[in-house]
Amino acid sequence: MHALSQAQTSFDHTAVQADHETVLVVDFGAQYAQLIARRVRELHVFSEIVPNRISAAEVAKRAPAAIILSGGPASVHVEGAPQLDAAIFNLGIPIFGICYGAQLIAQQLGGVVGRGMAGEYGRTQLKRFGDSLILPDDAPEYHECWMSHFDGIIEVPDGFVATASSPGAPVAVLENDERKIYGVQFHPEVVHSPFGMAAMARFVHERAGIGADWAMSSVIDRQVAEIRERVGDARVICGLSGGVDSSVAAALVHKAVGAQLTCIYVDTGLMRKGESEQVVETFRRNLGIELIHADEGTSFFEALAGLTEPEAKRKAIGERFIRVFEKHTGGLTEAKFLVQGTLYPDLIESGGTDGTASVIKSHHNVGGLPDDMELELIEPLRDLFKDEVRALGTELGLPDEMVWRQPFPGPGLGVRIIGEVTAERVAVLQEADAIVRHELHAAGLERAIWQSYAALLADVRSVGVMGDERTYGHPVVIRAVTSDDAMTADWARVPYETLEIMSQRIINEVDGVNRVVYDITSKPPGTIEWE
């Protein structure tokens, strides 16, 4: 049995640094530390997230061009709150602290962070004063930013100057250009801070002096080289779901090892209406990779029998996937590696890259794999976001019909049925979901919506009247969201006319459904999927 470890699945970042300057994003436990990394990449600079336990010696060995300290949920005053190795401040590497990161700079370098302050949450007026080397020159004296803090810096350390404040943050920006250390109390990485990206750009390009030379093509070159070196002449299996992530992962690995790759498309019985036929045809036509089509719906329904708890269903589906791979690789005795399309958001929602982030749900690629799995994982996309994966797919030459396919969870409709998953309930949901997709396409809304689907509340029944008769059927929930990266999402403002058509069609055409509701929950506090 091959042991699984992060070292086996992550990038070789020393190879990255040989070609490109790197920004290390130190994660202090915030769910959105990875959003900072993504924003840095939007500036065409490579970024890597590292745990806050990283030592000064490790940082020096990596030789990053800059360091960004993320926000975090803790107070700097709480016993056991994460700290930064103080020696890192003396390495001469430009440092930029955000929220908790800024407070940590102040506290660890001799400033004062107030305790139990009123705090600020959401849109806040920032007042700039004096010249700033971080705030962009065109930012007015008063402008909006996004805050999320309860403590606040009240005295800067020696050698620092404060260049902005807000009603709840006496020091909202602190700067020491001699030591190249800067901090902001607000969150520049979110779209609600209109001058935030410009502030990050000033730090990255001007204060740290990093050029904008990182591109998606470098990801391909690096991954191809790493995969070839690791795989050697061994056989590789890819678990193909038909979604964007697994398709791009398969194309990338195929570029590296060619005919050594065999893809297995597992028809779980939990796919959308007509999806299996479409996936097989599209994949064979565009990629020319050896493909095994495994029709395993019956076995998945058996594995899900009696399960109603979301985590139990996810884990059952994940384990069944692996057993199917093992079953269908009997003739591939030399198979050693399993390719999965795990993305960075999957890792974060499953507990983070080093376990510091909160577990929101076990992703099927992260928390649903059995302990006795004998295949070693290759996850070439695990440091990327969905939009970056799409860009990578386009760079690899995949057609739009694959690259722009809506995200679809690996567990399929199994996590869109609230309650026990049965073949009959899947059939009901397939019909309802097909109507939702058809009408959004007819309304020209597909590209404007990040993800849309129907969910079946199988454990709920409600009274209705159809044809002057009392009914007792299931509700269907329509979910549609807009997003850039799936880490945050807003409910889509679908026109009432389109919602009305979907509701009428579902109730009239789908047996067992007598009520349709529209989910207007954003993420956070909800997640995009229901389970």
Side-chain angles (χ1 to χ4, degrees):
M1 181 172 65
H2 300 283
L4 295 177
S5 68
Q6 185 159 331
Q8 289 179 306
T9 56
S10 59
F11 283 148
D12 178 1
H13 296 287
T14 57
V16 176
Q17 293 173 8
D19 299 322
H20 300 283
E21 294 178 292
T22 299
V23 173
L24 295 185
V25 178
V26 182
D27 184 0
F28 285 96
Q31 286 293 340
Y32 301 118
Q34 74 283 2
L35 185 55
I36 299 171
R38 179 178 179 275
R39 297 303 188 213
V40 172
R41 294 182 195 181
E42 289 177 6
L43 298 172
H44 299 288
V45 174
F46 185 76
S47 60
E48 175 193 352
I49 296 178
V50 295
N52 56 66
R53 295 185 293 270
I54 192 169
S55 69
E58 290 173 310
V59 171
K61 182 179 180 181
R62 292 172 180 262
I67 298 170
I68 297 180
L69 310 180
S70 85
S75 164
V76 295
H77 298 295
V78 173
E79 184 177 353
Q83 299 283 300
L84 187 71
D85 183 345
I88 292 175
F89 291 114
N90 299 320
L91 293 176
I93 300 169
I95 296 175
F96 183 50
I98 295 174
C99 194
Y100 181 89
Q103 294 177 10
L104 209 57
I105 288 172
Q107 183 195 59
Q108 291 193 239
L109 296 182
V112 178
V113 178
R115 304 185 66 160
M117 301 173 68
E120 293 171 313
Y121 303 93
R123 288 183 175 86
T124 305
Q125 279 287 105
L126 190 76
K127 178 185 178 181
R128 64 179 296 165
F129 43 86
D131 294 330
S132 173
L133 295 171
I134 291 297
L135 296 176
D137 292 337
D138 61 345
E141 180 183 5
Y142 290 93
H143 62 272
E144 278 191 349
C145 66
W146 190 263
M147 293 279 196
S148 181
H149 68 98
F150 44 91
D151 293 338
I153 304 167
I154 56 178
E155 288 185 24
V156 299
D158 290 343
F160 283 77
V161 295
T163 59
S165 65
S166 69
V171 178
V173 180
L174 69 160
E175 307 176 11
N176 184 327
D177 198 46
E178 182 179 350
R179 297 185 65 180
K180 298 294 181 184
I181 301 176
Y182 316 86
V184 296
Q185 183 62 67
F186 65 94
H187 285 271
E189 73 274 18
V190 302
V191 295
H192 308 295
S193 295
F195 294 95
M197 276 298 288
M200 292 188 71
R202 287 205 77 179
F203 169 72
V204 169
H205 296 314
E206 296 180 20
R207 307 279 71 79
I210 305 174
D213 63 350
W214 181 77
M216 196 55 65
S217 57
S218 65
V219 174
I220 297 174
D221 294 341
R222 182 178 70 256
Q223 279 295 325
V224 166
E226 290 181 12
I227 291 167
R228 282 175 180 164
E229 180 178 0
R230 183 177 168 203
V231 169
D233 58 0
R235 295 285 297 182
V236 183
I237 302 167
C238 178
L240 186 70
S241 69
V244 180
D245 308 335
S246 63
S247 296
V248 173
L252 184 55
V253 174
H254 185 252
K255 184 177 179 68
V257 300
Q260 292 169 238
L261 173 67
T262 298
C263 288
I264 301 177
Y265 171 65
V266 180
D267 188 346
T268 64
L270 305 172
M271 309 302 286
R272 291 173 288 198
K273 184 177 181 180
E275 190 158 38
S276 291
E277 296 81 3
Q278 179 191 16
V279 166
V280 172
E281 190 276 331
T282 302
F283 196 78
R284 284 177 170 156
R285 171 166 47 89
N286 288 287
L287 294 184
I289 300 173
E290 181 184 357
L291 177 64
I292 296 173
H293 181 187
D295 188 352
E296 291 283 341
T298 300
S299 69
F300 275 85
F301 288 122
E302 290 173 353
L304 288 166
L307 300 181
T308 58
E309 202 274 323
E311 282 290 281
K313 290 194 289 185
R314 285 178 178 272
K315 290 180 182 298
I317 292 169
E319 180 170 0
R320 189 65 206 141
F321 260 105
I322 298 304
R323 301 309 171 215
V324 169
F325 291 141
E326 292 172 345
K327 171 184 174 182
H328 287 274
T329 55
L332 300 172
T333 55
E334 70 275 33
K336 183 180 179 182
F337 298 95
L338 170 64
V339 178
Q340 289 195 142
T342 311
L343 305 190
Y344 200 88
D346 303 331
L347 297 173
I348 291 299
E349 292 192 342
S350 299
T353 57
D354 73 330
T356 57
S358 300
V359 175
I360 297 174
K361 61 187 177 185
S362 292
H363 188 265
H364 64 285
N365 284 352
V366 181
L369 300 178
D371 294 334
D372 61 347
M373 188 180 78
E374 296 186 359
L375 297 168
E376 294 183 46
L377 283 181
I378 294 177
E379 296 175 304
L381 311 179
R382 63 180 280 131
D383 282 0
L384 301 181
F385 299 90
K386 180 70 77 172
D387 57 331
E388 293 177 323
V389 171
R390 286 195 167 116
L392 185 63
T394 299
E395 188 83 16
L396 287 166
L398 297 180
D400 281 356
E401 63 186 296
M402 299 179 76
V403 171
W404 287 100
R405 184 187 180 98
Q406 276 200 6
F408 187 62
L413 300 183
V415 293
R416 293 179 178 175
I417 294 176
I418 313 306
E420 184 180 6
V421 179
T422 66
E424 294 75 21
R425 288 174 172 180
V426 168
V428 169
L429 183 53
Q430 284 176 332
E431 295 299 326
D433 183 76
I435 291 171
V436 170
R437 289 189 291 145
H438 178 273
E439 294 304 330
L440 289 175
H441 174 76
L445 296 173
E446 276 184 318
R447 280 290 186 98
I449 291 175
W450 174 269
Q451 196 165 349
S452 58
Y453 63 88
L456 178 66
L457 305 187
D459 280 354
V460 177
R461 287 183 180 271
S462 65
V463 174
V465 178
M466 299 173 69
D468 294 328
E469 292 185 3
R470 180 181 184 276
T471 62
Y472 195 50
H474 298 291
V476 160
V477 178
I478 297 174
R479 178 77 159 143
V481 299
T482 58
S483 180
D484 291 324
D485 49 35
M487 295 312 304
T488 59
D490 194 14
W491 61 276
R493 273 58 172 181
V494 177
Y496 290 152
E497 295 80 3
T498 302
L499 290 173
E500 181 181 17
I501 293 171
M502 288 191 289
S503 176
Q504 289 177 343
R505 286 197 58 195
I506 290 171
I507 291 174
N508 291 337
E509 298 175 26
V510 183
D511 291 339
V513 176
N514 66 351
R515 192 179 297 269
V516 175
V517 298
Y518 187 54
D519 184 349
I520 59 169
T521 310
S522 296
K523 174 188 180 181
T527 56
I528 294 178
E529 294 291 341
W530 263 60
E531 288 197 352

